Amino acid sequence: MNRMMKTKILYIAGLLLFTVAFSSCNKDFLNEEPILQQTNEFTLSTFKGLNQATVGAYSPLFDTPWYGRNFVVAADIRSGNAKLSPKSSGRFRTEFQWGYNPGTAPGLWTTAYDAIARANNVINAIDAEFSEDDVTQQEIDNVKAECLFIRAIGHFDLVRLYAQPYSHDKASLGVPVILVTEIGLPERNTVEEVFTQVVNDLKEAESIIESDYVRADGNDNKGFVTKAAIQALLARVYLYMEDWQNAADYATKLINNDEFQMYTTEEYTTWDNGGVFGLEAAKVPGEIIFEIYGSEGNTAHGNWDVIAYMLSPDGYGDVGASQDLLDLFEEGDVRGNLFRTHPDFGDALWSLKYPGKSGNLREENIPVLRLSEMYLIRAEALLKGAVVSGASAAGDYSVIRTNRGLTAVSSVSLQDVYNERRRELCFEGHQLFDLARTKRELVRNDYSGTVNQNVPFPDYKWAAPIPLGETDANPNMQQNPNYN
């Protein structure tokens, strides 16, 4: 076996007897309440158990260190899209000033490996030649594909945060690739090895999942893995790998999929009513390919520390919009109206992308993959040399513009696409990683910090430190340079 296949995870918490996994299977996703305590062997011996355990693997995605708040918010505040608002209580100051150290490292490490461990338990049980009377191989494959996607996005987000970008040095230290959930002392795989495993998992998931598979026992169809979600994540992963043709080809699969359509200018303005990310919008054709469904009933719910509460001046409101971002919007661009003021704070602005469901700031859906991103991926890939019959970078770029209240263009540059990604995907956790993968320095004009206003590329700071608890407990875990 190669080093990747031998990799194990250290955390006992990551081992996760299904006591934990089942307690996270909640009524957000299931109509039937799960059994709370079982051994792995008993749980994984039935398809019902495998199915419920798969649902439990989704729960960490909504946890505060991941899409529930920090992973998304920190990426925007570190990249210059966001800043500390005049209402700030001190949250996200470390991120704003790029002041990470091993003791204040991002908490995604434990949360993502939690999800990976849960997914592994199901994958490994199925790979042990699981079968059951009255259960088809396709039903088993669909569940496995969901878990392969969860394992892939876990590793992908980890390597984006804790390692240098693939485009810069794919031979550098990545994160441990965990394929079996056991107590161990893993070493870090290279960035290239991590990306290889992510692609392998997604390609296998794509090959085995039913084309029209939609999980039957959930409230939000877009909150579960589908073939389209797998293909969309592959398009993004190939973009990060600078595999331009595959990125364009996979983006095209989504662009040509009639299940999705761009939000019009009028539809985009419903954002402040819980619109385009709201539950009802997710059930009809629209841009959402995959999202994290948020509910207060989720055991991973962050109470008041959720994303909507953090970005609203009616909540904590610590994180506002920067003038650097606001200056990018042209007159007539509907996206420039998706910011709110507060009477107590003058001209300060906050993003309206997370208004809360029905005004409840403790509940929000978080978009992960959208159709507009696929157009932007293809536009960039075409400018980098990919070829797709009938498609052009200017045409894809214009699709975004004309659906946001602007006019089409006849030509487009890479910088135009980068700026469009920043406008379209702001406050969705992209800009930091876009800067890293394209090897551009961070430049901030609207900045109130005391250090690291601008960050050159390359620089050690583009890879966050491995959490101190992990390096202390595992002698094989090598810290990122300059954080020791």
Side-chain angles (χ1 to χ4, degrees), residues 56-92:
Y58 284 91
S59 189
L61 290 161
F62 187 66
D63 209 347
T64 302
W66 208 349
Y67 288 101
R69 193 189 77 174
N70 290 1
F71 185 69
V72 177
V73 175
D76 272 80
I77 200 166
R78 291 177 68 198
S79 68
N81 278 352
K83 64 179 182 179
L84 299 178
S85 81
K87 193 181 179 183
S88 173
S89 62
R91 295 179 184 86
F92 291 99

Side-chain angles (χ1 to χ4, degrees), residues 227-278:
K227 189 165 190 171
I230 295 165
Q231 292 172 337
L233 186 55
L234 270 167
R236 184 188 292 176
V237 172
Y238 282 129
L239 182 78
Y240 276 69
M241 297 174 72
E242 298 186 329
D243 185 340
W244 306 117
Q245 191 60 54
N246 269 322
D249 289 345
Y250 270 93
T252 300
K253 292 178 187 291
L254 279 302
I255 291 168
N256 292 343
N257 189 331
D258 292 338
E259 181 183 349
F260 309 102
Q261 64 185 30
M262 288 289 294
Y263 291 122
T264 65
T265 302
E266 292 74 21
E267 288 169 330
Y268 216 79
T269 61
T270 66
W271 217 305
D272 58 347
N273 297 317
V276 297
F277 291 170

Side-chain angles (χ1 to χ4, degrees), residues 365-385:
N365 294 345
I366 299 99
V368 179
L369 296 160
R370 288 203 286 130
L371 180 61
S372 59
E373 183 193 354
M374 299 300 111
Y375 278 101
L376 291 164
I377 286 174
R378 193 170 73 174
E380 184 175 342
L382 291 171
L383 287 171
K384 286 290 190 174

